[in-house]
Amino acid sequence: MIETPEQQQSKSVEPTPRTNEVSKAEQYAALVHSRRSVRKYDADTTFDHDAVQRALELAVLSPNSSNMQLWQFHRVINSDKRQQLAKLCMGQNAAKTARELIVITTTPYKWKQRTKMNAAQVRQAFEGREDATSKRALKYYEKLIPFLYRNDRFGIFGIARKVIVAYLGRNKPMVREVSKADLRVCLHKSTSLAAMTFMTAMRAEGYDTCPMEGFDSKRVKHLLSLNSQDEITMIIGCGPRAQDGIYAERHRVDNAETIITYA
Ligand SMILES: Cc1cc2nc3c(=O)[nH]c(=O)nc-3n(C[C@H](O)[C@H](O)[C@H](O)COP(=O)(O)O)c2cc1C
């Protein structure tokens, strides 16, 4: 029997049976444990570039602030370009030996377009049943987002916003991160989550990755002809792991120091 979109949707949100949950949790734990930052890739093993595309198509499903999707993923496959880019990654092995490099950027200047897109999406989703929720969602995209995302070169708007929220927040809870610098952090948070989804997906494909922040951002932007307002969150090298691709045992500080519980 063919299901209506509503039936399909309600099915997709049904809770997973508990027994499956355990095995999925185990599978996921195994995946997370097997991901390492790999600094050397095997030049002789075949590498399926389609796996990168698949992993990126999962990465864009990552949670992101206000669903603005102010990100881009630049795939550098071409060998010459890759070697030029590897040099700008300070000649790191993880870049030099990578079979493909992904430059993840934030695209702040697209905020107006994305605001319109989201507002239109809300209108469409609530068509014929406008209520308090839809009004709130529209107000969010038509009033609050422009208030938060509009910036000038010197960050004056952001300073004004800081003063406003400090005043309004005297007697009630208020989001305080409203400056131009805060917005940059906000965008890099979302791109970082996408980076993590990408790296996990690549591991699931049987490949490895290394996130890098050691690069000359000015020259990389020039090499890829990026928009002057683009900011590079990180560059990820990927490929099939070389036998000596992991430099050391994984180590983390004690969980008790980093996982704080308020029971
Ligand atoms: C934002 C970020 C930037 C990083 N930059 C580099 C880098 O430039 N070069 C490098 O070799 N590793 C880099 N790493 C990898 C870390 O060194 C690595 O994740 C850490 O040592 C833990 O090892 P693991 O990923 O194998 O668990 C970076 C990781 C992150 C999250």
Side-chain angles (χ1 to χ4, degrees):
M1 194 176 80
I2 297 170
E3 293 171 325
T4 65
E6 286 76 18
Q7 281 168 326
Q8 285 172 1
Q9 205 177 4
S10 73
K11 212 173 180 184
S12 69
V13 295
E14 267 174 25
T16 320
R18 186 79 196 128
T19 46
N20 266 353
E21 234 169 62
V22 174
S23 74
K24 277 189 184 154
E26 283 168 354
Q27 282 172 26
Y28 186 66
L31 195 63
V32 170
H33 278 285
S34 75
R35 187 215 57 82
R36 294 297 316 276
S37 292
V38 167
R39 272 65 180 231
K40 234 168 143 186
Y41 298 94
D42 188 345
D44 301 323
T45 307
T46 54
F47 180 62
D48 177 11
H49 289 275
D50 291 345
V52 175
Q53 183 66 25
R54 287 192 292 275
L56 287 174
E57 288 179 10
L58 292 177
V60 298
L61 303 182
S62 303
N64 66 96
S65 188
S66 301
N67 204 20
M68 294 287 274
Q69 302 164 60
L70 295 170
W71 53 30
Q72 264 178 351
F73 306 85
H74 300 263
R75 299 183 57 189
V76 182
I77 302 173
N78 173 277
S79 170
D80 284 349
K81 200 110 175 152
R82 214 163 5 104
Q83 289 318 314
Q84 289 176 55
L85 183 53
K87 273 192 198 144
L88 302 182
C89 293
M90 324 316 288
Q92 299 188 55
N93 262 343
K96 272 197 305 198
T97 64
R99 305 289 282 278
E100 180 165 340
L101 288 158
I102 316 298
V103 180
I104 304 185
T105 62
T106 65
T107 58
Y109 49 92
K110 292 192 178 184
W111 73 266
K112 280 188 189 164
Q113 179 209 333
R114 297 296 154 84
T115 305
K116 272 191 197 150
M117 175 200 80
N118 276 304
Q121 182 68 28
V122 170
R123 269 199 204 89
Q124 196 191 355
F126 286 90
E127 203 177 353
R129 52 185 181 105
E130 287 81 8
D131 57 11
T133 311
S134 69
K135 282 195 187 123
R136 225 184 359 256
L138 267 184
K139 195 169 158 200
Y140 182 80
Y141 283 115
E142 291 178 340
K143 295 266 177 351
L144 186 63
I145 289 286
F147 172 71
L148 292 172
Y149 275 70
R150 182 162 288 118
N151 271 308
D152 56 289
R153 209 166 149 205
F154 303 106
I156 310 285
F157 280 28
I159 295 167
R161 282 194 295 269
K162 280 269 191 203
V163 174
I164 293 169
V165 300
Y167 181 76
L168 295 177
R170 282 167 310 146
N171 303 315
K172 61 174 177 177
M174 187 65 54
V175 172
R176 312 277 168 166
E177 287 70 32
V178 292
S179 70
K180 188 176 181 182
D182 293 331
L183 180 65
R184 292 182 53 224
V185 173
C186 161
L187 301 189
H188 285 287
K189 281 184 207 171
S190 295
T191 44
S192 297
L193 290 174
M196 191 65 237
T197 305
F198 170 70
M199 291 188 286
T200 312
M202 285 298 283
R203 188 80 277 274
E205 292 274 2
Y207 294 120
D208 284 282
T209 54
C210 184
M212 288 174 278
E213 60 190 350
F215 52 80
D216 181 332
S217 59
K218 188 176 170 191
R219 289 193 162 87
V220 174
K221 282 173 74 167
H222 182 72
L223 178 71
L224 301 184
S225 308
L226 300 182
N227 183 295
S228 64
Q229 291 181 61
D230 282 336
E231 286 192 13
I232 304 171
T233 302
M234 65 183 89
I235 299 178
I236 302 182
C238 43
R241 183 185 299 199
Q243 267 190 353
D244 54 351
I246 293 176
Y247 286 178
E249 284 289 304
R250 181 179 245 163
H251 70 98
R252 292 293 189 262
V253 297
D254 203 278
N255 286 343
E257 197 181 322
T258 51
I259 305 174
I260 319 298
T261 309
Y262 301 87

